[in-house]
Amino acid sequence: MPRVTRMLSLMLSTCLTGASLTASAPAFAQAAPEARWPRPQDDAPGCRMLPRGSVHSWLVTESVYQNEELAFDGKGLLIAKKGEALVAVPAFGPTRVISRDARLATLSLGLRVLPSGDVLVAQPAVAEGLTAKLLRVRPDGTVSEFFTAASMPPGLPPFIIPNGLDVDAGGNAWVSDVATSQLLRISANGTPSSIAVGAEAQGVSGLVFDDARSTLFYTGAPNGTVRRVRVDASGRPVGPPEVVTVLQGTRLDGLTQDRCGNLYVVDSDPARKRFRLLRVDLDAGGAAVGGPTVLATFDDQVSGVQFGAGPGYDASSVYVSGIWGKVFQVPVGAKGAPRFSAP
């Protein structure tokens, strides 16, 4: 196993006890008024007939590697890493190299397409001499630094292992740092602000920003917790993070959301050789309803999950990826939450 991967695995490894999958949704300190939470599109096609058990999944490709996540540009291209290259993979046709840069050579943990069409790549400091950063890759292949550890303001923990990554319609980045247990919002001009830090962000991993609810949902890898934090128009937290659900006996990673308002989360536990996709149903207020649904089980380590977008990729399927290069397609019966469209 490469030295970088060994170091990362050591830093992120977690020992869990208990194999049962149960869920609890504690009462929140103060229930949010219904008017504050836009009702999910539960009348949209498919939302009332989502699968209640496992569905058939299949391998799409195993030609991309050294990234936990992938992204879609909405035009029929899957964006991923292949060694030190950032590549565009059409559903049909040859893979195209977007950029080949030494700064992309190490394992990338987060990857998203900005509204501008540029791609953000989260590069952790997983080896001596490396600096954690978010790289910005333009369609012409130019690579620049969107944000680096040196830009962290005084009073906040250092920026070491950016892991989960999402972007919103304003071009702002939302990023988790699993090494220092913190969540950050990086504005479109590269200015950081703290969303959560410490116990409420312990083991933070995958995240997704819900534009309709102005809410950031995120997973805690060591303890199977999904939390949410509401933000105002300027991106500042409105109150402390709240627990959505606790999935006992899981090691949660990547996270995404469908147009019905439900969450899809990867349970990735290498120690148990257990890799699954779960759906967590949410009500109009963003609280969990019942226990999770196990939609798929995989034969290899997976971590990231994203809805398909663009010609050739099914908008009612999620695509689940892992660092060893495999990408699986899982039809889930609903489209992804509405997103902006890159130019």
Side-chain angles (χ1 to χ4, degrees), residues 33 183 185 224 297:
L183 281 163
R185 175 185 181 270
T297 301

Side-chain angles (χ1 to χ4, degrees), residues 273-320:
K273 294 182 171 56
R274 188 189 67 199
F275 311 108
R276 303 182 295 181
L277 175 69
L278 314 176
R279 188 185 70 238
V280 177
D281 295 335
L282 301 184
D283 64 15
V289 178
T293 299
V294 180
L295 292 174
T297 301
F298 308 101
D299 63 2
D300 204 352
Q301 184 171 349
V302 291
S303 49
V305 55
Q306 285 291 294
F307 272 90
Y313 289 104
D314 181 24
S316 295
S317 290
V318 295
Y319 292 77
V320 182

Side-chain angles (χ1 to χ4, degrees), residues 199-289:
E200 292 172 331
Q202 180 185 5
V204 65
S205 187
L207 53 82
V208 61
F209 185 75
D210 181 341
D211 285 287
R213 294 186 174 111
S214 295
T215 299
L216 184 70
F217 291 93
Y218 61 96
T219 61
N223 51 16
T225 302
V226 180
R227 290 183 172 88
R228 69 185 185 196
V229 57
R230 277 177 47 80
V231 298
D232 62 21
S234 63
R236 295 187 181 90
V238 179
E242 300 170 310
V243 173
V244 174
T245 189
V246 179
L247 306 182
Q248 301 289 348
T250 64
R251 189 179 185 277
L252 303 182
D253 203 331
L255 188 67
T256 192
Q257 186 181 40
D258 67 20
R259 66 182 304 172
C260 313
N262 305 311
L263 300 176
Y264 296 76
V265 58
V266 173
D267 174 23
S268 184
D269 192 345
R272 295 176 177 170
K273 294 182 171 56
R274 188 189 67 199
F275 311 108
R276 303 182 295 181
L277 175 69
L278 314 176
R279 188 185 70 238
V280 177
D281 295 335
L282 301 184
D283 64 15
V289 178

Side-chain angles (χ1 to χ4, degrees), residues 124-150:
V126 293
E128 186 177 351
L130 294 181
T131 299
K133 58 180 70 70
L134 300 182
L135 296 176
R136 182 173 194 148
V137 184
R138 300 187 184 280
D140 65 3
T142 303
V143 179
S144 61
E145 293 179 347
F146 180 81
F147 181 76
T148 73

